[in-house]
Structure formats: structure tokens, C-alpha cells
Amino acid sequence: QVQLVESGGGLVQAGGSLRLSCAASGRTFSSYHMGWFRQAPGKEREFVAAISWSGGGRYYTDSVKGRFTISRDNAKNTVYLQMNSLQPEDTAVYYCAADIPPRSSWPYEYDYWGQGTQVTVSS
């Protein structure tokens, strides 16, 4: 059983920055692929970013490339999403997810999900 808890969401103005955190349970966090997704009102869940267990693989959806950065700190069992140059269209509930062993090949297949954190960007 893996528990994921997101934090760091809030209200920011367009052009601002926010850093989301996802704290995971388990002593084998370093073996998980991790991802971030978001869901805006009336829309389906959308992939945002992912990072491999080793940190060597990082993936982003086109709309956030150059603005968002995913990273991880295995000592803290935490994955981060640094969001810069935020735009109103980034407004959504952001979820983190874990792909635990046996790990999938890309695209990852996630086994556990957090409950989400709200990000609202005003214009």
C-alpha cells in the first residue's frame, strides 16, 4: 500500500510560480516511477510530467515544456513539480501518481494516486 499526499497548491497570478510537492510512503520510493497529472473543470485528466526511478528520464506534455520542471528527492520520499510562468489555462487539480515495481515501460502505468491539490491561476 502506497500513500501519496500532494501539497503546495494555491492561488497565483499569471506569470507567477508555484512548487508542488508529493510525499510518498514506503521505503522503496526510489524504485518508483513518478508522475504528475491535472484535471480542469469539465475536462479529462491530462498528463503533465513524469520522472523515472533513476531520475534519468524526464517527460513533459508539450504545453508545459520550458515552464515546468519535475524533480525528486529520494531521501525525503518526495517528488516536486516546479511551475513557472503560470497561465490561467494551468488552473486545475494536480495529482501525483506512482508506478511501483514491477515497473512499466514508457508510457508508465500508475498504480497509486494522491487526492490532489488545487492550483488556480488568475489573469
Side-chain angles (χ1 to χ4, degrees):
Q1 184 79 283
V2 175
Q3 297 179 39
L4 305 173
V5 181
E6 303 95 335
S7 62
L11 174 64
V12 298
Q13 293 185 312
S17 297
L18 209 58
R19 188 177 75 159
L20 305 183
S21 298
C22 174
S25 66
R27 67 184 69 182
T28 58
F29 172 78
S30 61
S31 70
Y32 306 165
H33 296 322
M34 298 295 296
W36 284 99
F37 292 76
R38 65 188 181 187
Q39 187 167 24
K43 297 183 179 179
E44 294 188 345
R45 184 180 62 195
E46 173 190 25
F47 168 76
V48 177
I51 186 167
S52 66
W53 69 272
S54 67
R58 296 177 177 84
Y59 310 92
Y60 301 92
T61 192
D62 287 344
S63 64
V64 308
K65 287 181 179 178
R67 299 189 298 121
F68 290 11
T69 303
I70 189 169
S71 62
R72 66 192 300 157
D73 185 340
N74 289 343
K76 296 182 178 180
N77 273 27
T78 302
V79 63
Y80 303 97
L81 185 67
Q82 178 67 46
M83 305 185 294
N84 298 327
S85 300
L86 283 162
Q87 304 167 17
E89 51 264 42
D90 295 316
T91 295
V93 176
Y94 284 71
Y95 301 89
C96 69
D99 176 1
I100 70 171
R103 295 184 298 271
S104 62
S105 299
W106 183 259
Y108 301 150
E109 299 174 355
Y110 300 95
D111 305 290
Y112 294 92
W113 296 81
Q115 293 187 317
T117 185
Q118 177 71 48
V119 171
T120 302
V121 184
S122 64
S123 60

